[in-house]
């Protein structure tokens, strides 16, 4: 199936903004930016926009994929590599966004056939409600064991520099699948058929490898300059 350039361009935007955000985070690590500057409201909003974009686009792409199980396992492996690399660099990442995306793809492989029988509006409304409810529930609930963090249930002392548990974020992924379904039903829409320059779409089409490699490169550059 022909790719939708507009979605690849959206993913490219998210990749570029993510690289910029992580570079600023490296500056914070090396003391160039203060905590108040790094965790200011504008940058917090930017970080949420980036992550929500990746999650929605991954959900949309799940509707186009012929093998979500294989893709999900590949993304999970990439997430494990990122977490191991972060540990080597002295940071703690447990169940970051790649782990969420990979596990969501695997779940969609098994649940997608059933969920696609729902009317898009009903599925979207249910997922929005569950996203809000489970987001609140996991915030006020503390786990007595340490291995439930992939579900959003954190034990005392849990910490992760990048944390996107299945609850509530899997429901945002499902909303993304509704977007993907809309694209399939309206594939002849002018917005979806528009051909965009490769500079706008190429990074989005290779987002996984860019995601895995960009932070070691940026961290290395930062270390050479400010380390």
């Amino acid at each position: 199936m022909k790719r939708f350039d507009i979605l690849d361009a959206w993913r490219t935007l998210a990749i570029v903004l993510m690289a910029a955000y992580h570079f600023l985070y490296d500056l914070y690590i090396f003391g160039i930016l203060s905590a108040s500057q790094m965790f200011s409201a504008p940058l917090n909003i930017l970080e949420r926009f980036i992550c929500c974009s990746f999650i929605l686009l991954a959900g949309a792409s799940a509707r186009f994929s012929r093998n979500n199980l294989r893709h999900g396992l590949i993304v999970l492996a990439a997430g494990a590599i990122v977490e191991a690399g972060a540990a080597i660099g002295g940071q703690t990442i447990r169940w970051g966004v790649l782990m969420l995306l990979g596990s969501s793809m695997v779940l969609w492989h098994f649940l997608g056939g059933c969920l696609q029988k729902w009317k898009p509006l009903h599925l979207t409304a249910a997922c929005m409600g569950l996203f809000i409810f489970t987001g609140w529930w996991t915030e006020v609930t503390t786990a007595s064991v340490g291995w439930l963090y992939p579900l959003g249930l954190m034990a005392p002392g849990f910490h992760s520099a990048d944390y996107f548990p299945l609850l509530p974020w899997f429901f945002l992924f499902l909303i993304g699948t509704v977007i993907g379904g809309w694209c399939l039903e309206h594939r002849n829409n002018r917005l979806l058929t528009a051909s965009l320059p490769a500079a706008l779409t190429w990074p989005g089409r290779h987002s996984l490898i860019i995601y895995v490699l960009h932070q070691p490169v940026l961290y290395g550059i930062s270390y050479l300059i400010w380390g």
Side-chain angles (χ1 to χ4, degrees):
M1 187 189 73
K2 184 181 182 297
R3 298 182 67 100
F4 299 117
D5 282 5
I6 190 66
L7 297 185
D8 286 328
W10 181 7
R11 192 178 286 107
T12 293
L13 174 63
I15 282 283
V16 171
L17 292 176
M18 175 198 65
Y21 180 86
H22 283 167
F23 182 65
L24 293 176
Y25 189 80
D26 290 339
L27 297 184
Y28 162 70
I29 291 175
F30 288 101
I32 308 303
L33 292 182
S34 66
S36 60
Q37 291 173 317
M38 183 66 229
F39 302 108
S40 61
L43 285 181
N44 288 340
I45 293 172
L46 176 64
E47 188 264 347
R48 287 291 118 166
F49 170 78
I50 295 167
C51 294
C52 288
S53 293
F54 279 125
I55 296 168
L56 288 170
L57 285 166
S61 297
R63 293 296 303 270
F64 316 145
S65 174
R66 296 180 179 178
N67 195 334
N68 278 292
L69 180 60
R70 180 172 66 87
H71 289 165
L73 293 176
I74 291 172
V75 175
L76 283 171
I81 292 172
V82 168
E83 294 191 6
I88 294 172
Q91 298 185 53
T92 300
I93 295 180
R94 303 170 71 184
W95 210 261
V97 68
L98 288 183
M99 301 300 283
L100 165 71
L101 298 183
S103 58
S104 295
M105 292 173 191
V106 172
L107 287 172
W108 178 257
H109 171 80
F110 294 104
L111 301 176
C114 177
L115 292 174
Q116 287 182 66
K117 296 178 181 178
W118 286 47
K119 291 184 178 180
L121 183 60
H122 294 170
L123 181 59
T124 300
C127 288
M128 283 297 298
L130 288 169
F131 179 80
I132 294 171
F133 172 76
T134 57
W136 165 81
W137 180 65
T138 52
E139 284 289 332
V140 301
T141 304
T142 302
S144 58
V145 293
W147 49 269
L148 291 176
Y149 64 89
L151 295 177
L153 298 174
M154 297 171 286
F158 176 85
H159 169 72
S160 178
D162 181 31
Y163 182 50
F164 285 87
L166 287 166
L167 300 178
W169 296 103
F170 177 60
F171 297 112
L172 188 64
F173 177 92
L174 292 182
I175 293 175
T177 67
V178 176
I179 295 175
W182 183 91
C183 291
L184 290 175
E185 292 179 6
H186 300 81
R187 65 186 70 195
N188 294 322
N189 184 283
R190 292 179 61 184
L191 178 66
L192 297 176
T193 58
S195 181
L196 300 177
L200 297 179
T201 60
W202 188 91
R205 295 179 181 181
H206 300 83
S207 57
L208 181 59
I209 188 65
I210 294 174
Y211 190 99
V212 172
L213 295 179
H214 84 282
Q215 182 61 333
V217 172
L218 293 176
Y219 187 88
I221 293 172
S222 300
Y223 181 82
L224 290 175
I225 298 175
W226 295 290

